[in-house]
Amino acid sequence: MTNNISTLKNCYGCSLCASICPKHIISLKLSKTGFYQPVIVNDGDCVQCGLCLKVCAYTNALPNIDRAIVQGFATWSKEPVVRRMASSGGTGFELARLLLHKGYKVIAVRYNAEQQRAEHYIAETEEDLIQSMGSKYIQSFSEEAFRAMKKGGKYLVTGTPCQIASMRRYVQMKKMEDDVVLMDFFCHGVPSKLLWDKYVAELEPKIGKVIYASWRNKRAGWHDSWAMGLDGDKQDSSVDWHDSYNTLIRGGKTFYSRKRSEGDLFYKFFLSDVCFNKACYKDCKFKNLQSAADIRIGDLWGHKYAENEDGVTGVLTFTERGEKVLRESNVEIVPEITEVVTEGQLKGKIKSPYYYTFLIALLRSRLNLGTIYRIVQMFRIGRIIGYKLHLK
Ligand SMILES: Cc1cc2nc3c(=O)[nH]c(=O)nc-3n(C[C@H](O)[C@H](O)[C@H](O)COP(=O)(O)OP(=O)(O)OC[C@H]3O[C@@H](n4cnc5c(N)ncnc54)[C@H](O)[C@@H]3O)c2cc1C
């Protein structure tokens, strides 16, 4: 019987199986559906040790950790420019900055415009770290950065809850847990890269090759911050260029997409939950308070901060270490009960749409995103009508 990940289909794609494999025969490849998936590149060399299955958060329950009582906080950076540039309150950045100064390396996510992908990388200086600011709402390619972790080094690792759950298993198996702090976030799910590639391809004739992308910006405040900022290499006058908002990362001119509230197509797809990785639907074990991290961050969307337009990071600490790091960092901290922090977050699994496979095929086709979105709407309306007829 095969004792390796070759039998897995549609897993989280976290890449820790590639990190732990003693034979280095596992690698992450982009699947036809637009998600990173592990592939055994040389099956004959597998020694059937089973480590790849043991480290895997997809095939195992949440790992045991030295949990303290879960505590909730509303937080934001004390530095206004950090708060302005981050997706919520900039706490993710501040925690990373603190640990950098304490001698940790930070494994976080940046956008690689050359490869048109989000990817984990290792930040060793504050300047390196700036690229990690802000959410990149696509699955990150983590293989190279995770593989580069060395025993004896100290690390903060940030990522989706599934990436972090496998990372917890990895550092436990490698006996590195004392030197590693883990941070995840409340996660909706990661959409297919097919969506991102199509979105970029439709904009490039207008703005040129995309050389920088940011997913959120607070030009119109925090609650309406869902708009893409893209810098292209064709800055001609036919496009409405604005002074870059994310001046810490780049100066120059940026094209801002319509906001979600005005119909930006990336956000219409992303926030309607229709094209996530299959594992984000029935196999997500990490909603609400379920985590293997020391600390969890997210947008504090509840009614208590509904008037706040600067951004508030909701934080849950799961371990003493998580709480200590938070308290030492450069953030304002307001203790809140966990119900306040998690208000507005998904509490359970979301359902995959019944037309999922067809939608992925549409994203692979030549149809434009506007047309595909109209087709999705028709499916949804059809479902509602069908349901009402069924009730009669
Ligand atoms: C795919 C995705 C889904 C999300 N879903 C929700 C949700 O349902 N509810 C919610 O409240 N928040 C969600 N978030 C998190 C939210 O957008 C903010 O990142 C969070 O509020 C922290 O903001 P901040 O200002 O404190 O962090 P920042 O200082 O802006 O730091 C952001 C951190 O996120 C990491 N990161 C960015 N993109 C990725 C990525 N693609 N994969 C892994 N790590 C990444 C960076 O390395 C950095 O450490 C999601 C983020 C992503 C990437």
Side-chain angles (χ1 to χ4, degrees):
M1 207 180 79
T2 312
N3 192 24
N4 62 34
I5 48 91
S6 60
T7 50
L8 296 190
K9 289 251 172 334
N10 307 310
C11 71
Y12 303 139
C14 68
S15 87
L16 268 311
C17 51
S19 295
I20 204 142
C21 174
K23 291 293 186 182
H24 312 293
I25 55 170
I26 303 177
S27 194
L28 271 280
K29 299 269 177 285
L30 200 58
S31 72
K32 283 189 173 166
T33 54
F35 299 100
Y36 295 109
Q37 290 290 299
V39 175
I40 300 193
V41 280
N42 195 349
D43 216 6
D45 285 354
C46 178
V47 289
Q48 306 287 327
C49 63
L51 290 175
C52 54
L53 290 173
K54 218 172 153 194
V55 81
C56 173
Y58 180 75
T59 50
N60 291 285
L62 269 178
N64 287 328
I65 57 171
D66 199 4
R67 269 205 182 218
I69 294 168
V70 182
Q71 300 201 64
F73 305 90
T75 66
W76 53 90
S77 172
K78 289 182 182 166
E79 206 176 309
V81 67
V82 169
R83 194 176 186 191
R84 184 168 62 98
M85 282 187 43
S87 300
S88 349
T91 303
F93 179 80
E94 291 294 1
L95 296 172
R97 175 151 69 172
L98 171 83
L99 289 172
L100 258 187
H101 290 295
K102 283 178 176 273
Y104 283 67
K105 293 178 181 171
V106 176
I107 305 191
V109 172
R110 67 182 169 198
Y111 183 63
N112 178 332
E114 204 52 52
Q115 308 239 26
Q116 215 166 286
R117 71 182 187 195
E119 64 184 20
H120 274 81
Y121 73 109
I122 302 187
E124 300 195 36
T125 64
E126 209 172 305
E127 204 186 336
D128 286 349
L129 189 64
I130 290 173
Q131 306 169 73
S132 75
M133 280 180 133
S135 299
K136 292 91 188 163
Y137 291 116
I138 46 178
Q139 185 188 27
S140 71
F141 175 77
S142 57
E143 181 180 345
E144 282 162 20
F146 284 3
R147 242 191 228 278
M149 278 177 86
K150 297 270 178 296
K151 199 166 175 172
K154 290 176 156 201
Y155 297 93
L156 165 71
V157 188
T158 77
T160 59
C162 49
Q163 289 169 335
I164 294 302
S166 290
M167 181 56 80
R168 173 71 74 186
R169 303 185 76 82
Y170 179 81
V171 296
Q172 286 176 342
M173 288 163 72
K174 291 277 183 186
K175 306 212 177 326
M176 293 166 70
E177 206 173 8
D178 289 347
D179 290 328
V180 179
V181 177
L182 299 179
M183 176 167 81
D184 69 7
F185 44 77
F186 292 103
C187 185
H188 221 74
V190 286
S192 170
K193 191 162 183 296
L194 297 174
L195 169 64
W196 176 243
D197 288 349
K198 211 179 239 308
Y199 183 82
V200 171
E202 288 181 13
L203 275 170
E204 283 194 337
K206 189 170 166 184
I207 64 171
K209 168 99 185 108
V210 170
I211 48 180
Y212 165 71
S214 78
W215 273 253
R216 301 260 298 267
N217 65 79
K218 294 177 181 156
R219 292 193 318 148
W222 172 43
H223 289 272
D224 209 0
S225 59
W226 305 91
M228 212 70 75
L230 300 164
D231 294 10
D233 67 1
K234 180 180 140 191
Q235 301 225 335
D236 66 28
S237 55
S238 62
V239 176
D240 205 6
W241 295 103
H242 294 265
D243 286 338
S244 263
Y245 198 68
N246 286 347
T247 44
L248 265 183
I249 298 180
R250 325 174 20 87
K253 299 284 181 190
T254 296
F255 165 79
Y256 288 102
S257 74
R258 287 183 295 172
K259 291 179 283 186
R260 169 184 61 155
S261 55
E262 294 163 351
D264 176 73
L265 280 167
F266 180 84
Y267 282 118
K268 277 189 159 187
F269 277 96
F270 175 54
L271 294 165
S272 54
D273 305 338
V274 287
C275 57
F276 290 155
N277 190 3
K278 274 199 171 161
C280 298
Y281 297 107
K282 68 178 180 29
D283 298 307
C284 178
K285 307 164 192 162
F286 311 103
K287 294 287 188 282
N288 205 21
L289 305 183
Q290 302 302 313
S291 170
D294 295 289
I295 192 158
R296 169 167 284 182
I297 56 177
D299 287 285
L300 210 165
W301 287 134
H303 70 279
K304 197 160 174 186
Y305 294 90
E307 303 301 318
N308 185 300
E309 287 298 350
D310 297 323
V312 179
T313 306
V315 176
L316 296 177
T317 59
F318 300 107
T319 62
E320 275 178 24
R321 177 185 294 188
E323 189 191 342
K324 186 165 180 286
V325 173
L326 177 69
R327 289 203 184 275
E328 284 181 21
S329 64
N330 185 35
V331 295
E332 300 290 351
I333 301 180
V334 183
E336 297 284 5
I337 55 170
T338 55
E339 286 78 3
V340 168
V341 176
T342 60
E343 191 187 341
Q345 300 296 345
L346 291 167
K347 300 292 186 297
K349 293 176 189 177
I350 38 178
K351 267 195 168 172
S352 158
Y354 70 98
Y355 48 83
Y356 180 85
T357 310
F358 186 58
L359 172 56
I360 294 292
L362 291 177
L363 288 172
R364 290 176 62 79
S365 77
R366 283 165 176 261
L367 288 178
N368 66 40
L369 275 183
T371 307
I372 299 174
Y373 193 72
R374 282 192 288 281
I375 295 173
V376 166
Q377 290 301 90
M378 277 159 45
F379 272 115
R380 290 173 141 183
I381 293 166
R383 177 78 163 195
I384 294 167
I385 294 172
Y387 181 68
K388 288 199 169 151
L389 287 176
H390 175 74
L391 285 183
K392 276 188 181 170

